[in-house]
């Protein structure tokens, strides 16, 4: 008999197959491979092919848009939203509209075309996390923006149009619906129990251990109780914190390790899968509260969303999180950790 499970934050129900659970080898998937075809606008030497850089780490001297950087942030060449102008909210009869104002930036994670976030040394992953923070702090000053989402599409099947390792940032004039669902659910839980639902999850999952994937001093990596997708995994700070950008340098160091650990394990178990990764943090105008707890959601692309999901908002997940967590927990990462950090 399959399980119907309810996510304690959003109240969303999922169907988990328990009988014929799919194991890693049962998924037909597109392995992410670097093909090196054509000219890559994100490679050093091609800086003039991107819009002017907004931020870079590594280049001590020399002009903007030249090589020598470790991480580089540029505006998206084909932005989903435009940065200039005002929102101009208006009605169209009973309908609402506003101008498509927002920021859309690309974080080029490494100059090395053949690297991936998983293969970068922890120090370099930390650089990427610091650019996220720097860009969030800068964009927060713009009062038009209500939410800043950082996300990553890895592999063509997960929506990446360029194979060179990169993440994206979108600043939005509205709070997105999925985040609103989490915020509202977390607030309801807090009103009822006077505790953060995420902190409660961390406490219980640490106690039972069956859905825990990994742990370090500051972060817990786990398979959620009611995951939408097979091998969906979250990384949460152990101490309550609502905004990603409030993290200390100590935390970024341990977050880089946690991210590397999870991505390496996923590459091992699922053979370099395409994936999406998102950072869910509190809205920019409410960065410190007791009910919301920032986190990373990692979703490997192993199944397709079809009619039933689109029609109901229910997801059918063929792999119980307890099994996914066990595969990831037991995957060794030791021999992939670099001996030296450059
Ligand atoms: Zn490249
Ligand atoms: Zn919390
Ligand atoms: Zn979330």
């Amino acid at each position: 008999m399959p399980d119907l499970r309810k996510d304690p934050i959003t109240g969303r129900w999922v169907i988990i197959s328990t009988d014929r659970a799919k194991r890693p080898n049962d998924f037909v998937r597109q392995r992410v491979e670097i093909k090196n075809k054509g000219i890559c606008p994100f490679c050093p030497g091609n800086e003039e092919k991107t819009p002017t850089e907004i931020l870079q780490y590594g280049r001590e001297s020399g002009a903007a848009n030249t090589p020598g950087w470790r991480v580089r942030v540029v505006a998206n060449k084909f932005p989903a939203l435009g940065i200039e102008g005002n929102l101009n909210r208006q009605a169209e009869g009973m309908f609402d509209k506003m101008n498509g104002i927002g920021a859309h930036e690309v974080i080029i994670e490494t100059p090395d075309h053949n690297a991936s976030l998983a293969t970068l040394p922890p120090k370099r992953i930390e650089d990427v996390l610091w650019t996220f923070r720097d860009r969030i702090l800068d964009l927060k000053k713009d009062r038009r923006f209500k939410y800043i989402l950082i996300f990553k599409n890895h592999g063509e099947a997960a929506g990446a149009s360029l194979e060179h390792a990169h993440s994206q940032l979108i600043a939005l004039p509205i709070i997105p619906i999925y985040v609103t669902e989490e915020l509202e659910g977390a607030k309801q839980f807090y009103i009822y129990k006077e505790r953060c639902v995420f902190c409660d999850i961390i406490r219980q999952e640490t106690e039972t251990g069956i859905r825990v994937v990994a742990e370090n001093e500051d972060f817990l990596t786990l398979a959620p109780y009611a995951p939408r997708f097979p091998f969906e995994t979250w990384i949460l700070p152990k101490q309550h914190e609502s905004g990603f950008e409030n993290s200390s340098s100590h935390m970024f160091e341990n977050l880089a390790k946690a991210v590397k650990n999870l991505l390496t394990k996923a590459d091992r178990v699922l053979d370099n899968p395409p994936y999406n990764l998102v950072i869910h943090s509190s809205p920019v105008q409410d960065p410190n509260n007791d009910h919301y707890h920032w986190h990373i959601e990692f979703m490997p692309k192993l199944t397709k969303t079809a009619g039933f999901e689109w029609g109901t908002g229910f997801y059918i997940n063929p792999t119980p999180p307890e099994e996914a967590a066990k595969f990831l927990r037991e995957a060794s990462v030791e021999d992939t950790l670099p001996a030296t950090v450059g």
Side-chain angles (χ1 to χ4, degrees):
M1 184 83 78
D3 265 356
L4 258 180
R5 293 194 187 183
K6 188 182 180 183
D7 179 80
I9 305 151
T10 57
R12 177 181 51 222
W13 288 86
V14 297
I15 300 170
I16 311 270
S17 314
T18 44
D19 291 356
R20 287 169 298 146
K22 276 200 171 183
R23 304 167 73 89
N25 291 330
D26 298 337
F27 294 103
V28 182
R29 63 186 173 270
Q30 196 187 322
R31 188 176 194 278
V32 178
E33 277 170 56
I34 303 285
K35 297 193 181 83
N36 264 313
K37 268 193 259 162
I39 294 167
C40 172
F42 293 170
C43 270
N46 297 338
E47 285 82 359
E48 78 287 353
K49 297 203 187 311
T50 63
T52 307
E53 70 194 20
I54 297 164
L55 175 73
Q56 64 85 26
Y57 294 167
R59 192 196 308 116
E60 306 272 309
S61 57
N65 293 336
T66 57
W69 48 273
R70 295 196 304 268
V71 196
R72 191 164 174 261
V73 183
V74 298
N76 193 305
K77 205 167 185 175
F78 308 102
L81 296 156
I83 192 80
E84 306 291 343
N86 53 41
L87 293 170
N88 192 24
R89 290 170 181 272
Q90 49 182 297
E92 210 175 295
M94 61 166 289
F95 304 116
D96 296 311
K97 69 173 197 174
M98 66 176 102
N99 286 333
I101 300 297
H104 191 171
E105 301 178 359
V106 176
I107 298 96
I108 307 167
E109 296 162 353
T110 167
D112 181 0
H113 189 92
N114 294 305
S116 72
L117 194 59
T119 64
L120 289 181
K123 269 285 169 219
R124 296 288 82 83
I125 299 176
E126 216 183 308
D127 282 340
V128 174
L129 300 172
W130 282 109
T131 59
F132 293 168
R133 174 183 171 273
D134 285 356
R135 291 309 304 140
I136 291 170
L137 291 181
D138 187 39
L139 287 161
K140 269 173 96 160
K141 294 181 215 147
D142 191 326
R143 302 295 291 176
R144 296 172 304 171
F145 300 144
K146 291 216 166 69
Y147 199 80
I148 300 172
L149 182 78
I150 303 235
F151 64 100
K152 182 174 168 65
N153 304 332
H154 176 72
E156 217 177 315
S161 49
L162 286 166
E163 63 182 12
H164 194 123
H166 67 281
S167 345
Q168 299 181 60
L169 173 156
I170 294 195
L172 295 158
I174 42 154
I175 300 175
I177 189 81
Y178 288 169
V179 178
T180 302
E181 281 174 8
E182 286 189 0
L183 285 164
E184 303 264 297
K187 199 170 233 167
Q188 285 308 314
F189 189 96
Y190 191 84
I191 289 169
Y192 180 53
K193 302 218 174 172
E194 291 184 49
R195 295 194 307 262
C196 161
V197 62
F198 295 90
C199 285
D200 266 20
I201 290 172
I202 291 167
R203 208 170 297 126
Q204 184 166 329
E205 296 295 5
T206 308
E207 250 169 54
T208 67
I210 47 168
R211 281 174 294 271
V212 171
V213 170
E215 191 178 355
N216 66 31
E217 204 185 332
D218 291 324
F219 290 90
L220 182 70
T221 304
L222 58 81
Y225 177 74
R228 290 155 293 176
F229 311 105
F231 290 87
E232 176 178 345
T233 310
W234 299 352
I235 301 176
L236 303 113
K238 287 181 180 175
Q239 293 295 317
H240 182 80
E241 182 59 73
S242 36
F244 165 85
E245 67 275 19
N246 302 335
S247 307
S248 63
S249 58
H250 184 256
M251 289 189 71
F252 281 127
E253 195 183 325
N254 281 323
L255 180 59
K257 288 179 187 162
V259 167
K260 175 156 180 97
N261 182 276
L262 171 60
L263 296 180
T264 308
K265 280 171 176 285
D267 277 355
R268 280 288 158 92
V269 172
L270 301 166
D271 190 22
N272 291 23
Y275 66 80
N276 298 107
L277 187 149
V278 303
I279 299 180
H280 274 162
S281 186
S282 228
V284 288
Q285 276 132 37
D286 184 22
N288 288 299
N289 59 62
D290 292 330
H291 59 273
Y292 194 73
H293 193 122
W294 80 266
H295 55 276
I296 289 179
E297 296 184 12
F298 167 78
M299 294 156 283
K301 195 104 188 135
L302 304 169
T303 49
K304 288 206 170 82
T305 302
F308 180 69
E309 282 87 358
W310 291 123
T312 60
F314 269 81
Y315 286 83
I316 304 176
N317 183 342
T319 309
E322 295 74 24
E323 290 193 26
K326 189 167 187 287
F327 276 111
L328 292 171
R329 186 168 59 236
E330 289 172 358
S332 147
V333 291
E334 295 310 319
D335 48 321
T336 62
L337 284 172
T340 53
V341 168

